[in-house]
Amino acid sequence: MIIGSATLPDGRERDVRIEDGTIAAVETGLGEPDVDATGKRLFPGAVDAHVHFREPGFPHKETWTTGSKSAAAGGVTTVVDQPNTDPATVTGAAFDEKAALARESHVDYGINGGVSPDWDPDSLFERPLFALGEVFLADSTGDMGIDADRFADAVARASEADVPVTVHAEDAELFDAGALERAGDGTGRDADADAWSAYRTAAAEAAAVERAVEVGADADADLHIAHTSTPAGIDAASEAGATCEVTPHHLFLSRDDLDGLGTFGRMNPPLRSEDRREAVYERVADGTVDVVATDHAPHTRAEKDAGIRDAPSGVPGVETMLPLLLEEARQGRLSYERVRDLVAANPAAIFGLPNKGRIEAGRDADLVLFDPDDARPVRGEELHSKCGWTPFEGRTAVFPELTLLRGEVVYDAREGERFGDADGENVRG
């Protein structure tokens, strides 16, 4: 296959020849194209290092089929699934159960192991883990939280096994319980949705990042801080030499949006003030932040339409991450090269995926073609996640028209809409 006259992220116009699932050449004059990309841009497939596809345990929210189709339609060709399913991915047997379900994925994938009071590191580290994921989940509303000693032990074991560690950094001891009490009876989706942001304080994130990076340094571990939502948390990670990610919802939404979102805007970490959001955006733009990843965490409308204490935390995002960032590039707020680095080149480099992340000869032909002038509003009913809604309703985005995984079509919207086969593979083998 030859993709002809495509504009690459760095602005060069090149042909791309694909052979046996691999990029064989990136040059000019490669011959008659199979896909004429004149006037369009070609990106490497995005690597979303943080998704919750909900299987096993919660298929009414999402499945590997629906989640991976949503990914492909948004230009994401590799996803990394987190461990808080049912059963949680904290044992070898639980890993095997999830791996069997993941064979239905339309995109490549990695599976993170987790840490809980029930974890079995001996059996877990025998599996092809992508990372030890979302450890140190200081979450008073869940069951994956661990104490400081277990966190240190888990990081040390991961370092010995040469497995990177992805950390959910919030210190529950610094949550403001009074904020929820001040929310009144908490009935109905609009009952002081902002209380969740007041409850899970910004200070709780910064303190947890500082503690996590100290432990990571002591163990000589590769530490990655998930979904940083504050400038202080980002700076603490960066200054310590850890990598970090920011989600689209923390990049584009703030507490100012909660009047419209209600409890549909509840997530962990929560939305922050507009001033903090702007400071986070600045760090994304200037290179301090390494990765944008979605923390795609779908729930049904009925589940989210509840009081602030009862609504589950999380929002969908795997299909809208790249399109929203492409709109930022179209508007000149970010460069196309910066977008490529945030969603493809950097996560591939950080997590050891040498065949992903760039349009270069020898790499996997994971490619995304889009028309930079074809911007349209995001509509939840048009997305492919099983949950059927989005916190970005009505925002302008640039969606892909063609997504290739190792040279094969996994999503094509050029004439109607079709998906390819479920041929995703575990990137760890």
Side-chain angles (χ1 to χ4, degrees):
M1 176 190 290
I2 296 176
I3 300 174
S5 302
T7 302
L8 305 186
D10 61 8
R12 293 177 300 153
E13 187 176 294
R14 293 289 186 270
D15 300 341
V16 176
R17 185 170 67 238
I18 300 167
E19 296 177 357
D20 298 324
T22 301
I23 298 172
V26 183
E27 302 173 9
T28 57
L30 289 178
E32 187 67 23
D34 300 282
V35 177
D36 182 1
T38 302
K40 297 177 183 178
R41 285 188 172 265
L42 190 68
F43 254 56
V47 177
D48 189 345
H50 196 137
V51 305
H52 300 266
F53 277 179
R54 301 305 191 195
E55 281 193 305
F58 311 100
H60 66 286
K61 301 174 188 280
E62 193 78 283
T63 67
W64 277 93
T65 296
T66 59
S68 63
K69 283 185 172 181
S70 189
V76 173
T77 53
T78 303
V79 297
V80 181
D81 193 71
Q82 301 299 330
N84 58 333
T85 44
D86 186 13
T89 317
V90 297
T91 67
F95 180 96
D96 294 344
E97 182 177 352
K98 180 175 287 188
L101 292 165
R103 295 190 188 108
E104 299 302 315
S105 179
H106 287 254
V107 299
D108 283 353
Y109 57 89
I111 298 175
N112 275 0
V115 184
S116 78
D118 300 320
W119 85 309
D120 180 3
D122 292 332
S123 67
L124 195 60
F125 284 122
E126 292 176 352
R127 269 63 179 182
L129 289 182
F130 188 87
L132 197 61
E134 287 230 277
V135 297
F136 199 49
L137 188 61
D139 183 350
S140 62
T141 65
D143 59 2
M144 294 286 289
I146 55 174
D147 59 29
D149 289 340
R150 188 178 293 272
F151 174 69
D153 177 61
V155 172
R157 291 292 297 267
S159 180
E160 291 170 3
D162 197 25
V163 172
V165 181
T166 298
V167 182
H168 180 132
E170 287 185 283
D171 185 346
E173 294 182 358
L174 295 179
F175 292 171
D176 179 7
L180 290 183
E181 296 174 3
R182 293 189 293 273
D185 62 8
T187 57
R189 65 180 291 266
D190 297 318
D192 195 6
D194 186 66
W196 198 253
S197 293
Y199 165 55
R200 299 180 80 109
T201 64
E205 176 178 280
V209 173
E210 291 171 0
R211 289 169 57 191
V213 295
E214 288 179 3
V215 172
D218 289 343
D220 194 25
D222 293 327
L223 215 66
H224 178 73
I225 308 300
H227 45 49
T228 43
S229 63
T230 64
I234 293 167
D235 292 345
S238 178
E239 290 166 6
T243 58
C244 71
E245 70 191 39
V246 163
T247 69
H249 45 272
H250 292 123
L251 186 60
F252 296 119
L253 302 174
S254 72
R255 293 170 77 166
D256 289 358
D257 295 289
L258 285 170
D259 284 346
L261 288 170
T263 51
F264 283 73
R266 176 182 144 166
M267 73 279 291
N268 302 333
L271 295 180
R272 304 300 185 186
S273 69
E274 178 63 13
D275 286 345
R276 283 196 171 96
R277 185 204 69 78
E278 291 176 353
V280 166
Y281 193 109
E282 289 172 1
R283 286 159 173 78
V284 168
D286 69 17
T288 306
V289 171
D290 303 280
V291 171
V292 170
T294 64
D295 194 10
H296 174 80
H299 301 281
T300 67
R301 288 181 178 273
E303 289 168 333
K304 292 292 280 187
D305 194 8
I308 192 62
R309 294 179 181 84
D310 298 325
S313 292
V315 298
V318 71
E319 190 168 342
T320 50
M321 173 181 69
L322 180 57
L324 288 169
L325 289 170
L326 292 178
E327 172 62 11
E328 294 302 289
R330 188 177 78 93
Q331 296 293 341
R333 292 186 282 264
L334 295 172
S335 71
Y336 284 105
E337 289 179 283
R338 182 69 183 131
V339 173
R340 174 206 60 198
D341 290 348
L342 287 165
V343 302
N346 287 354
I350 289 167
F351 291 107
L353 302 176
N355 295 328
K356 308 290 187 183
R358 290 184 181 274
I359 302 176
E360 297 174 348
R363 301 217 181 200
D364 288 350
D366 297 352
L367 300 169
V368 180
L369 185 68
F370 62 93
D371 182 344
D373 296 323
D374 186 18
R376 59 183 172 87
V378 176
R379 300 298 182 203
E381 62 184 13
E382 297 174 358
L383 302 178
H384 298 84
S385 171
K386 195 169 186 178
C387 72
W389 62 275
T390 172
F392 304 109
E393 186 74 28
R395 288 178 176 259
T396 303
V398 178
F399 285 87
E401 62 180 49
L402 181 68
T403 304
L404 304 180
L405 176 67
R406 285 174 273 108
E408 298 295 326
V409 173
V410 289
Y411 177 73
D412 190 347
R414 292 173 297 175
E415 296 180 6
E417 185 178 64
R418 71 179 180 92
F419 289 91
D421 296 332
D423 288 333
E425 298 177 356
N426 188 333
V427 293
R428 295 297 192 222

